[in-house]
Amino acid sequence: MGRVRRSRTHHAQRDVHRASRTRARTKDLDQIQLIDLDPKNRVALEAQPIDLEKPGLAQHYCVECAKYFETDTALQSHWRGKVHKRRCKILKEPAYTIEEAERAAGLGREGKRTPISTHAMPIDT
């Protein structure tokens, strides 16, 4: 009689649980591109009023990654890091729009003829 096997009994339940958590949810890339990177909004986000509930009193914020940092040195080291540089590279690409999604599904106006209006047709009398 051997020992009952106990390992590998969860069948990736841990990863499914981690993926469904919304505790560490950050902003989506299209939200950052369209809203936060706008110059007026960016200035407001970088110069936020003091908030006791946020890390670093909301004074050290990375707009591209939508993260707060405790100190300015942590923010500076984040800017030099690989994660921030990857995020900036991704944000340089244009946002995925609804029109682009419709074209990919074959619902866009590309390749379709425009209906001929009655005003454009000459009337033979």
Side-chain angles (χ1 to χ4, degrees), residues 106-125:
L107 301 174
R109 294 186 47 85
E110 184 177 301
K112 292 185 179 179
R113 284 193 252 170
T114 58
I116 300 173
S117 65
T118 58
H119 302 297
M121 295 183 64
I123 300 173
D124 293 331
T125 55

Side-chain angles (χ1 to χ4, degrees), residues 20-39:
S20 66
R21 272 197 307 214
T22 58
R23 162 174 78 91
R25 179 119 170 102
T26 59
K27 288 185 179 180
D28 291 327
L29 292 174
D30 57 344
Q31 290 175 325
I32 294 171
Q33 278 183 337
L34 299 174
I35 299 169
D36 292 349
L37 291 180
D38 183 43

Side-chain angles (χ1 to χ4, degrees), residues 42 46 61-64 69 72 74-82 84-85:
R42 185 182 183 107
E46 288 175 347
Y61 184 71
C62 176
V63 178
E64 290 85 3
F69 292 92
D72 192 44
L75 179 62
Q76 298 293 330
S77 106
H78 165 75
W79 284 340
R80 289 189 304 269
K82 192 183 291 186
H84 178 78
K85 290 178 182 177

Side-chain angles (χ1 to χ4, degrees), residues 30-71:
D30 57 344
Q31 290 175 325
I32 294 171
Q33 278 183 337
L34 299 174
I35 299 169
D36 292 349
L37 291 180
D38 183 43
K40 290 184 283 187
N41 293 338
R42 185 182 183 107
V43 168
L45 286 171
E46 288 175 347
Q48 294 183 26
I50 292 178
D51 187 1
L52 299 175
E53 299 294 321
K54 294 181 181 167
L57 303 176
Q59 298 302 300
H60 314 288
Y61 184 71
C62 176
V63 178
E64 290 85 3
C65 300
K67 281 187 173 182
Y68 291 97
F69 292 92
E70 288 288 329
T71 62

